[in-house]
């Protein structure tokens, strides 16, 4: 039997996939955030010339919420398509999605299903995490509860729920009075913004927005949700331009961080292709990407150029360890110092230990990179020991069910 027509058809499909993949990198490497998508869905259309002047500005975000509720009633971050178990993060995420639906008077059945999930699971999820509430959750959850009530959602709290919520409010107060947020200005700003009794009419000082505004893209901390809240608070045009650009590039739900560093996007594409067993169909593209990454690392290493701003540490260390693993797997001569740099700076190691929630997946990636160490690479041995101890003594693993399985 002549298989040439079949092979020709397969090659044609592969070429289409290649074209689509490398022209839509953001959709391929970014994980949709239900929480951030919900905040964009809350933004009203303020253009009186539009037919839906009183509707949502980003209807695709509202439609995403309507189409992506879990069978159990909650909304989750979209990753590998598995039905993940609910975590502490699903509480504020589900509330935010219900607030968006309630605001536009749609999805009544979704709201009922979501409320049923909240009432059935809130006590359990709060109890399981009462000794280690994540910082982001501690800041956001009290505010989203207040916003849900203001929007008219009927959330019923029994005595145990009230006790746990009181504990969270006190923990938030203690956290804000401490110095723990000094290295996380995005959380400090988010707290001030979310402290308004009505986020839709709150007016944040323009100077405060400009202080944190990224000149390159108009975002606040590269966070769609924070930028959406700031725009609703004061109508900053640069914030709006940023939000429009996200929805144009990610029409099927937005990520929690945008934009992603270009080099990291390309590395994630290579990693995903290899994990799916499709590398032989993309050999030329993979070689081009890794050659470019390798050349950049050689230049940066020679110039001793290394940016280590605290807010960018998780992304930088993730990128460096991923690049090391992919390059060494392909036979490139890559120095262990390309990602072991964090070991030589005690303040960075301390910061990692103090912010385990941010670095859990990062340290897993560091650990995977050390699988490729050669004899005599002492820095790699130290990085392996550090990352292993970090993961084994990490109470936050319960927040990442997929990683916990690994």
């Amino acid at each position: 039997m002549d298989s040439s027509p079949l092979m020709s058809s397969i090659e044609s499909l592969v070429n289409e996939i290649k074209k689509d993949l490398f022209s839509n990198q953001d959709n391929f490497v970014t994980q949709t955030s239900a929480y951030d998508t919900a905040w964009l869905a809350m933004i009203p259309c303020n253009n009186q010339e539009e037919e839906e002047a009183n509707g949502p500005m980003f209807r695709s975000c509202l439609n995403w919420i309507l189409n992506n509720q879990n069978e159990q009633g909650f909304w989750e971050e979209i990753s590998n398509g598995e039905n993940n178990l609910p975590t502490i993060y699903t509480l504020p995420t589900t509330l935010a999605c219900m607030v968006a639906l309630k605001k536009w008077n749609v999805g009544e059945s979704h709201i009922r299903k979501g409320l049923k999930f909240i009432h059935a699971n809130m006590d359990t999820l709060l109890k399981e995490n009462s000794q280690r509430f994540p910082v982001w959750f501690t800041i956001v959850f009290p505010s989203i509860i207040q916003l849900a009530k203001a929007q008219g959602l009927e959330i019923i709290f029994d005595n145990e729920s009230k006790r746990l919520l009181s504990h969270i409010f006190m923990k938030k107060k203690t956290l804000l009075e401490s110095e723990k947020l000094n290295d996380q200005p995005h959380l400090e700003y988010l707290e001030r913004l979310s402290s308004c009794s009505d986020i839709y009419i709150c007016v944040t000082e323009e100077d405060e927005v400009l202080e944190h505004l990224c000149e390159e893209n108009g975002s606040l901390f590269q966070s769609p949700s924070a930028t959406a809240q700031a725009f609703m608070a004061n109508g900053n045009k640069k914030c709006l331009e940023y939000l429009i650009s996200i929805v144009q590039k990610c029409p099927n739900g937005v990520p929690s961080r945008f934009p992603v560093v270009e080099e990291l996007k390309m590395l994630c594409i290579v990693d995903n292709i290899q994990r799916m067993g499709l590398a032989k169909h993309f050999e030329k593209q993979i070689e081009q990407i890794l050659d470019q990454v390798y050349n950049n690392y050689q230049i940066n290493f020679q110039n001793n150029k290394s940016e280590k701003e605290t807010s960018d540490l998780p992304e930088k260390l993730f990128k460096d360890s991923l690049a090391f693993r992919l390059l060494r797997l392909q036979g490139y001569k890559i120095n262990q110092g390309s990602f072991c740099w964090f070991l030589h700076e005690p303040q960075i190691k301390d910061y990692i230990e103090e912010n385990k929630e941010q670095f859990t997946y990062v340290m897993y990636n560091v650990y995977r990179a050390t699988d490729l160490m050669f004899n005599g690479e002492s820095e790699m041995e130290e990085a392996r020991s550090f990352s292993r101890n970090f993961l084994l003594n990490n109470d936050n693993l319960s927040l990442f069910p997929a990683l916990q399985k690994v």
Side-chain angles (χ1 to χ4, degrees):
M1 180 178 177
D2 187 6
S3 62
S4 56
L6 177 61
M7 290 302 298
S8 177
S9 176
I10 292 174
E11 289 177 2
S12 176
L13 287 172
V14 168
N15 289 331
E16 285 184 27
I17 292 172
K18 287 180 181 179
K19 182 179 179 180
D20 183 62
L21 173 60
F22 289 94
S23 63
N24 296 283
Q25 301 160 13
D26 295 306
N27 287 333
F28 188 76
V29 304
T30 56
Q31 173 178 307
T32 299
S33 166
Y35 180 81
D36 289 79
T37 301
W39 274 104
L40 267 73
M42 295 180 207
I43 301 175
C45 181
N46 56 5
N47 189 343
Q48 298 301 318
E49 296 180 2
E50 295 285 341
E51 292 183 9
E52 300 181 358
N54 297 320
M57 179 176 292
F58 303 113
R59 181 160 290 279
S60 63
C61 291
L62 187 63
N63 290 337
W64 186 94
I65 295 172
L66 290 167
N67 295 326
N68 286 277
Q69 186 177 28
N70 186 285
E71 289 184 3
Q72 299 177 53
F74 64 89
W75 281 267
E76 59 187 333
E77 310 305 274
I78 301 300
S79 53
N80 55 9
E82 295 180 1
N83 290 324
N84 295 323
L85 295 173
T87 69
I88 193 74
Y89 293 116
T90 58
L91 294 177
T93 296
T94 297
L95 286 170
C97 288
M98 289 192 296
V99 167
L101 295 177
K102 185 72 173 177
K103 178 176 175 62
W104 303 116
N105 294 315
V106 296
E108 289 185 14
S109 62
H110 296 71
I111 293 175
R112 286 196 299 271
K113 197 173 179 180
L115 285 172
K116 184 178 180 181
F117 166 80
I118 293 291
H119 293 145
N121 294 275
M122 183 162 59
D123 281 4
T124 300
L125 290 171
L126 293 179
K127 284 178 183 177
E128 289 176 351
N129 295 273
S130 59
Q131 302 302 314
R132 54 179 185 278
F133 287 124
V135 174
W136 178 86
F137 175 85
T138 304
I139 294 293
V140 166
F141 190 58
S143 302
I144 202 70
I145 285 283
Q146 293 175 333
L147 183 58
K149 286 183 176 181
Q151 197 61 41
L153 290 173
E154 298 180 3
I155 305 173
I156 302 170
F157 303 102
D158 58 24
N159 290 334
E160 182 62 14
S161 295
K162 291 177 181 177
R163 185 188 69 79
L164 291 167
L165 284 172
S166 176
H167 175 56
I168 296 171
F169 274 87
M170 290 301 298
K171 185 176 175 66
K172 177 178 179 178
K173 184 175 182 292
T174 301
L175 182 65
L176 296 174
E177 291 174 351
S178 71
E179 297 181 355
K180 190 166 184 178
L181 296 186
N182 287 354
D183 292 326
Q184 302 183 59
H186 63 293
L187 291 177
E188 202 169 11
Y189 174 82
L190 184 59
E191 186 282 326
R192 291 199 295 274
L193 188 62
S194 63
S195 64
C196 303
S197 58
D198 189 340
I199 191 67
Y200 304 123
I201 62 174
C202 168
V203 178
T204 305
E205 292 294 334
E206 185 72 13
D207 289 344
E208 188 176 5
V209 173
L210 293 175
E211 179 185 350
H212 300 292
L213 198 69
C214 174
E215 294 184 2
E216 291 182 8
N217 57 46
S219 73
L220 272 77
F221 314 108
Q222 295 178 275
S223 166
S225 57
T227 309
Q229 292 175 63
F231 173 71
M232 284 191 285
N234 60 32
N236 184 281
K237 291 183 178 180
K238 288 187 177 180
C239 290
L240 177 59
E241 291 172 2
Y242 167 78
L243 296 170
I244 292 174
S245 71
I246 299 176
V247 175
Q248 288 176 342
K249 293 181 179 178
C250 304
N252 299 312
V254 302
S256 60
R257 184 177 174 87
F258 189 91
V260 178
V261 174
E262 189 67 26
E263 197 169 81
L264 177 56
K265 285 195 294 189
M266 303 309 292
L267 288 168
C268 287
I269 287 176
V270 172
D271 187 40
N272 286 332
I273 288 173
Q274 291 183 343
R275 285 193 294 108
M276 290 188 292
L278 300 173
K280 67 178 182 179
H281 296 294
F282 297 87
E283 291 177 349
K284 181 179 179 181
Q285 289 80 6
I286 290 174
E287 182 181 358
Q288 290 174 343
I289 290 171
L290 294 183
D291 278 347
Q292 183 62 53
V293 171
Y294 181 71
N295 291 335
N296 290 343
Y297 269 84
Q298 291 294 97
I299 293 171
N300 292 338
F301 188 76
Q302 291 173 4
N303 296 337
N304 196 27
K305 181 181 178 182
S306 182
E307 301 171 0
K308 302 184 183 68
E309 288 294 329
T310 309
S311 59
D312 296 329
L313 273 177
E315 184 178 271
K316 175 170 175 52
L317 186 51
F318 182 87
K319 178 173 74 73
D320 288 349
S321 55
L322 177 60
F324 176 89
R325 179 167 61 84
L326 294 177
L327 288 170
R328 183 161 281 193
L329 274 173
Q330 294 297 114
Y332 290 84
K333 294 181 180 179
I334 184 77
N335 190 289
Q336 59 184 329
S338 65
F339 82 97
C340 291
W341 46 263
F342 71 97
L343 297 170
H344 306 296
E345 304 193 35
Q347 71 275 18
I348 289 182
K349 290 175 67 176
D350 290 343
Y351 181 78
I352 292 173
E353 291 280 11
E354 292 168 3
N355 295 276
K356 289 190 174 182
E357 178 188 345
Q358 294 185 64
F359 286 91
T360 299
Y361 267 112
V362 177
M363 282 296 111
Y364 173 60
N365 211 53
V366 168
Y367 184 79
R368 291 186 68 197
T370 63
D371 286 337
L372 301 172
M373 77 171 83
F374 296 144
N375 289 334
E377 290 187 314
S378 57
E379 288 185 359
M380 292 272 278
E381 292 177 359
E382 186 180 350
R384 188 172 185 82
S385 176
F386 181 88
S387 58
R388 184 175 185 274
N389 289 334
F390 178 97
L391 294 168
L392 290 177
N393 299 289
N394 190 345
D395 292 335
N396 288 288
L397 277 179
S398 62
L399 304 175
F400 307 97
L403 182 56
Q404 196 171 29
K405 289 180 183 178
V406 176

